[in-house]
């Protein structure tokens, strides 16, 4: 009975995080204008070399805080990392919630591909809202910003209806843009790309699921293994 209650509470918490992230992506269209310059999958692929270079630098950050060298980062190691990167704008409770949400294999430790997603979600959710009267502050070093901002722009490019989640019809239409016939992706490729994101086979994809899939497209050493969760 206790186990069911704990699972129910966790599911509720993760649903709230998903809804919060969805709202954040809708709002992000206002201050991420770069998504308008993307035209096709080719223009996204051209970003991959620079993103890979940035991810190698993030791997160095990950390894420096993996103090016991077990290939994962625990909550205490993560807190030290976020303090160093000046990303502790969220409450500890919020960070714990995101930690559990990104630990998709349930190992109780964040592996490198999960760390990238976790870091990006913290970076994004910690940004002041567009309506906020708080003075805008720069969160984290340029390294974090230079990697995650372009990824947010890719999501916004694919989210044509601007509702904060990707739907299959829009993604396929966007990647098969008739205005750029030489850069159109074959339909079976666009279907495959969407299925890689759509874990629940619901036809809609949130930013977290998009991030995990996108990291595997860019290419990182240990991007496999998360889809089984």
């Amino acid at each position: 009975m206790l186990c069911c209650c704990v699972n129910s509470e966790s599911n509720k918490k993760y649903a709230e995080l998903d809804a919060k992230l969805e709202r954040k992506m809708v709002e992000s269209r206002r201050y991420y204008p770069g998504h308008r310059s993307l035209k096709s999958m080719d223009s996204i692929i051209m970003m991959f070399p620079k993103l890979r270079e940035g991810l190698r630098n993030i791997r160095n950050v990950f390894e420096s805080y993996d103090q016991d060298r077990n290939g994962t980062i625990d909550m205490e190691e993560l807190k030290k990392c976020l303090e160093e990167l000046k990303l502790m704008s969220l409450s500890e409770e919020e960070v714990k919630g995101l930690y559990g949400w990104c630990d998709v294999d349930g190992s109780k430790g964040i592996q490198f591909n999960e760390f990238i997603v976790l870091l990006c979600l913290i970076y994004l959710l910690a940004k002041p809202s567009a309506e906020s009267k708080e003075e805008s502050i720069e969160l984290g070093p340029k390294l974090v910003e230079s990697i995650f901002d372009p990824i947010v722009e890719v999501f916004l490019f694919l989210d044509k209806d601007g509702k904060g989640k990707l739907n299959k019809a829009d993604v396929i239409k966007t990647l098969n843009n008739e205005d750029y016939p030489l850069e159109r992706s074959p339909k079976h490729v666009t279907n495959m790309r969407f299925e890689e994101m759509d874990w629940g086979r619901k036809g809609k994809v949130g930013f977290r699921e998009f991030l995990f899939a996108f990291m595997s497209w860019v290419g990182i050493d240990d991007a496999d293994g998360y889809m089984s969760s």
Side-chain angles (χ1 to χ4, degrees):
M1 184 69 177
L2 178 61
C3 181
C4 290
C5 291
V6 170
N7 286 336
S8 177
E9 278 298 310
S10 295
N11 290 337
K12 182 181 177 183
K13 184 193 301 180
Y14 298 153
E16 289 170 355
L17 282 171
D18 191 44
K20 184 177 181 180
L21 191 57
E22 186 175 346
R23 292 192 297 272
K24 194 71 175 182
M25 299 317 296
V26 171
E27 178 189 290
S28 293
R29 303 187 78 82
R30 303 179 189 180
Y31 48 92
Y32 282 99
H35 72 274
R36 299 188 187 98
S37 65
L38 295 170
K39 305 298 181 187
S40 65
M41 191 65 190
D42 282 5
S43 59
I44 295 171
I45 290 171
M46 288 179 68
M47 301 163 62
F48 287 3
K50 187 174 181 181
L51 288 172
R52 286 190 197 104
E53 182 181 346
L55 291 173
R56 281 193 289 270
N57 291 329
I58 286 191
R59 180 181 284 283
N60 292 336
V61 173
F62 176 85
E63 290 176 350
S64 68
Y65 286 95
D66 179 19
Q67 296 176 344
D68 52 14
R69 298 291 184 268
N70 67 348
T72 64
I73 283 186
D74 60 31
M75 192 62 200
E76 289 306 310
E77 292 168 335
L78 176 66
K79 283 195 288 185
K80 292 176 184 175
C81 175
L82 295 179
E83 286 168 5
E84 182 70 22
L85 293 177
K86 299 181 177 65
L87 288 173
M88 277 302 285
S89 299
L90 299 180
S91 69
E92 186 170 336
E93 192 62 31
E94 288 174 310
V95 172
K96 282 182 179 178
L98 288 167
Y99 184 96
W101 200 33
C102 291
D103 180 21
V104 291
D105 64 357
S107 64
K108 307 298 183 185
I110 294 293
Q111 300 169 42
F112 179 57
N113 65 311
E114 297 168 334
F115 176 72
I116 295 168
V117 174
L118 175 60
L119 209 58
C120 185
L121 296 188
I122 290 172
Y123 167 72
L124 185 63
L125 291 173
K127 277 181 173 288
S129 68
E131 292 81 11
S132 174
K133 294 183 180 179
E134 298 175 28
E135 189 174 323
S136 181
I137 55 175
E138 184 176 337
L139 294 166
K142 286 290 184 183
L143 167 66
V144 173
E145 183 180 284
S146 66
I147 295 168
F148 295 146
D149 283 1
I151 294 173
V152 172
E153 287 168 353
V154 172
F155 181 91
L156 297 177
F157 166 64
L158 297 173
D159 180 22
K160 288 304 181 188
D161 63 7
K163 293 183 178 179
K165 286 202 172 181
L166 307 182
N167 70 70
K168 187 172 184 177
D170 276 354
V171 170
I172 291 175
K173 185 177 179 180
T174 301
L175 296 181
N176 286 281
N177 191 337
E178 293 181 359
D179 294 334
Y180 301 92
L182 297 179
E183 298 183 20
R184 293 177 68 181
S185 299
K187 189 172 182 180
H188 74 278
V189 172
T190 53
N191 274 318
M192 181 179 68
R193 292 297 190 199
F194 192 85
E195 287 172 5
E196 289 168 356
M197 298 186 284
D198 188 13
W199 296 359
R201 299 294 183 259
K202 295 178 180 178
K204 288 193 177 292
V205 172
F207 186 65
R208 182 191 67 139
E209 291 77 19
F210 162 79
L211 264 176
F212 275 110
F214 189 74
M215 288 301 99
S216 70
W217 302 350
V218 172
I220 58 175
D221 293 346
D222 54 353
D224 300 322
Y226 59 86
M227 294 294 290
S228 60
S229 65

